[in-house]
Amino acid sequence: MDTATKLEFIQALPKVELHMHLEGSLEPELLFEIAGRNGLKVPFASPEEIREKCNFTSLQSFLDLYYEGHKVLCTHADFKDLAYAYFKRVSVTNLRHAELFFEPQEHTVRGVKMEDIVMGLTEGCELGLKEFGITSELILCLLRHYDVANMMDTLKAALPFKQYIKGVGMCSTEIGYPPTLYTEVFQFAKDNGFRITSHAGEEGPPDFVRQSVEILGIERCDHGIGMRSDPAVVKLLADKKIGVTMCPISNVLLKVTKSIPYSPIRQYLDAGVMICFNSDDPSYFGSTYIDENYEAVEKEMGLCVAEWVKIARDAITMSWVDDAERASLLAEVDAVCAKYGVAV
Ligand code: ADE
Ligand code: ZN
């Protein structure tokens, strides 16, 4: 297959996004619009100034700017508009299904109601299905810079909205916050029927990935690139079929890896770890959504067609869709392969 056809094939594959923070898709223009209607002053002169500040040296340097952005989101309409804007942007990417993080603690701490967050986002997700045919689920993402008591309170406050929240994840600063601190939190989430994932091994060591698997019981690992130096942990994830939601552009821009080819994509493929590519916080990374992540990996690494088919299938396999939707998405991959004469 020539290069142009291969890029077209990659674009045509049905996509599933499993690692995207809704607050990380707040484009600077929408941030200003929402701040304006809420009568809030923001510490930036213009959307361009926010974009200029997106020049990060580490995960923490990103998080400091990112949590500033959270502060404009206050009402049901704000959360609805946030989710809707994401679906509108990705409707051109053949995205079929998304499992989307939201971070209530940075909102409830300012007095925003859990109901407005969850029901606003749910309305945006319903519009995403109605207008663009994209199915979705919400994942409540706990923030490690809050204490365990606050995490437990947050989960309890979310229980009345359980039917709208598929899973629980965890993110924010990693160094200094080992997974062992969160046993009780994740046990509570599991006992209440939530699916479980966590950011682990973004800046943290392989042991943080191991602990997340063995102690927290994660079903997916978000980022996971930090385990690359310990083949035993890589093998653990391959053996247990715990997929890694990789974010190639994010990892380069947050200086977690030197470049996309230098990240462990090749290593994980060869070790039989399930992987998929995701956008993480697209609006803070130069408006790079899932399509740009797929394209960047192809342009910089040139994976073979069979590997792209495997990645499209892995994303579907790792997702939390029901059996019927999984079968239908896998059949769509087969149909695209047939169209391009790719043997399956
Ligand atoms: N919150 C949003 N994006 C994140 C990332 N890449 N790592 C940790 N926490 C995050
Ligand atoms: Zn993330």
Side-chain angles (χ1 to χ4, degrees), residues 58-269:
S58 62
L59 170 60
Q60 194 59 50
S61 71
F62 154 71
L63 293 172
D64 294 343
L65 178 69
Y66 172 66
Y67 295 130
E68 271 306 316
H70 283 54
K71 292 182 186 158
V72 304
L73 298 164
C74 302
T75 67
H76 177 111
D78 299 343
F79 289 98
K80 178 195 75 173
D81 291 352
L82 175 68
Y84 180 77
Y86 166 74
F87 289 111
K88 189 162 188 222
R89 165 60 185 82
V90 294
S91 64
V92 297
T93 65
N94 282 322
L95 186 78
R96 295 287 182 276
H97 175 76
E99 295 178 4
L100 303 165
F101 293 121
F102 70 105
E103 301 169 358
Q105 285 156 296
E106 280 297 318
H107 308 302
T108 53
V109 73
R110 294 177 290 113
V112 178
K113 291 210 237 34
M114 183 68 84
E115 179 173 2
D116 287 338
I117 304 169
V118 178
M119 297 319 295
L121 293 175
T122 297
E123 193 183 340
C125 290
E126 285 167 359
L127 286 171
L129 177 61
K130 199 167 135 212
E131 286 193 29
F132 309 114
I134 302 170
T135 58
S136 58
E137 299 287 357
L138 294 174
I139 304 174
L140 188 160
C141 203
L142 295 164
L143 301 173
R144 283 182 283 232
H145 60 277
Y146 285 88
D147 62 21
V148 165
N150 187 288
M151 290 182 174
M152 293 296 285
D153 288 346
T154 302
L155 289 181
K156 286 174 191 160
L159 286 181
F161 309 101
K162 167 83 193 31
Q163 64 177 298
Y164 305 104
I165 305 170
K166 188 79 175 176
V168 168
M170 183 166 67
C171 69
S172 192
T173 314
E174 184 173 21
I175 304 292
Y177 297 90
T180 45
L181 295 173
Y182 307 106
T183 316
E184 175 197 1
V185 175
F186 277 78
Q187 193 56 53
F188 182 83
K190 284 183 279 190
D191 289 347
N192 281 281
F194 292 105
R195 307 296 296 260
I196 297 296
T197 186
S198 181
H199 284 50
E202 182 179 17
E203 288 185 331
D207 232 29
F208 281 18
V209 176
R210 185 197 293 280
Q211 289 170 11
S212 300
V213 172
E214 293 181 343
I215 297 171
L216 303 184
I218 54 168
E219 300 171 57
R220 296 198 293 250
C221 177
D222 302 312
H223 288 300
I225 75 170
M227 69 177 173
R228 65 169 130 193
S229 57
D230 189 337
V233 181
V234 176
K235 185 169 182 316
L236 176 73
L237 271 77
D239 290 349
K240 285 187 168 285
K241 298 196 177 354
I242 295 172
V244 180
T245 65
M246 302 186 85
C247 302
I249 293 179
S250 165
N251 291 158
V252 174
L253 295 183
L254 301 190
K255 309 290 187 282
V256 185
T257 186
K258 274 197 293 216
S259 67
I260 290 178
Y262 191 77
S263 82
I265 292 171
R266 163 69 34 224
Q267 179 188 351
Y268 292 177
L269 281 171

